Amino acid sequence: MADQSESAGSTVEHEKSLMEKISEKIHDHNSSSSSSSDSDNEKPESPKSEKPKVFRIFGREKPVHHVFGGGKPADVFLWRNKKVSAGVLGGATAVWVLFELLEYHLLTLVGHILIGTLAVLFLWSNAHSFIHKTPPRIPEVHLPEEPFLQVASELRLQINWAFAVLHDIASGRELKKFLIVIAGLWVLSIVGTWCNFLTLFYISFVLLHTVPVIYEKYEDKIDPFAEKATIEFKKHYAVFDAKVLSKIPQGLKNKRS
């Protein structure tokens, strides 16, 4: 009987040790799986490496096409439709050649065009029965009101903005803007001695049709040079501010602030 009780006790102890081993294995497996799941869950939460911000001229974040409005004018400036862009630039060149090189006058040109157009239409309308051709169909032209109102409204906003800037400058509040405006007007006065208004307008028109498309094509090469130039300008401005602007009397500083 004692042997049977000892064997039963050893069996029970063996079963307990076996159960403990099984429970330890299950616990280890659960802990390993939970740690692996935690590590898996933590992987997506790891911060993603952000790409360094690329320097763009004037701090723009949109493509060049969106900067110009993204409509038909942007398509013309960026040569999306080469025939239309070439036609606009060719027309502007023809106008400049007529008025600047050939010294044609605007009123003379308008008068000659109207005389020729009205003469042809009048003769065609009265002689169609003799030449056995249909009379010309002259369309009735009606200018819509909305585009003119939009242009006038936008022009009014820009003029008011310019007046507000000039008011701030004249009041002595913006020294930096004052220096920029004076420098810009000085450059404009020098350019005015080289060419007249029509030539200046034509040069600006040509630049508007060439510079943006060149920049859009080679912006990855142009922007690094622009970044270096901006850094150098800021360095020189900091020196100018330390040597000149910081020595301005206190009263003018208060006006500027």
Side-chain angles (χ1 to χ4, degrees), residues 165-176:
V165 172
L166 293 176
H167 180 270
D168 291 340
I169 293 173
S171 301
R173 299 174 184 174
E174 296 289 343
L175 180 61
K176 184 177 179 181

Side-chain angles (χ1 to χ4, degrees), residues 177-199:
K177 289 182 180 180
F178 170 75
L179 296 175
I180 293 174
V181 170
I182 293 298
L185 292 176
W186 179 67
V187 172
L188 187 62
S189 64
I190 293 177
V191 173
T193 60
W194 298 340
C195 58
N196 57 16
F197 178 76
L198 180 61
T199 302

Side-chain angles (χ1 to χ4, degrees), residues 27-65:
H27 179 70
D28 294 335
H29 181 269
N30 290 335
S31 61
S32 61
S33 61
S34 62
S35 61
S36 61
S37 61
D38 292 337
S39 62
D40 293 336
N41 292 331
E42 290 176 0
K43 285 181 181 178
E45 294 177 1
S46 60
K48 296 180 179 179
S49 58
E50 297 181 356
K51 294 182 179 180
K53 189 176 181 180
V54 181
F55 177 84
R56 298 298 182 189
I57 294 179
F58 304 119
R60 66 177 183 85
E61 297 180 356
K62 297 180 180 180
V64 181
H65 190 267

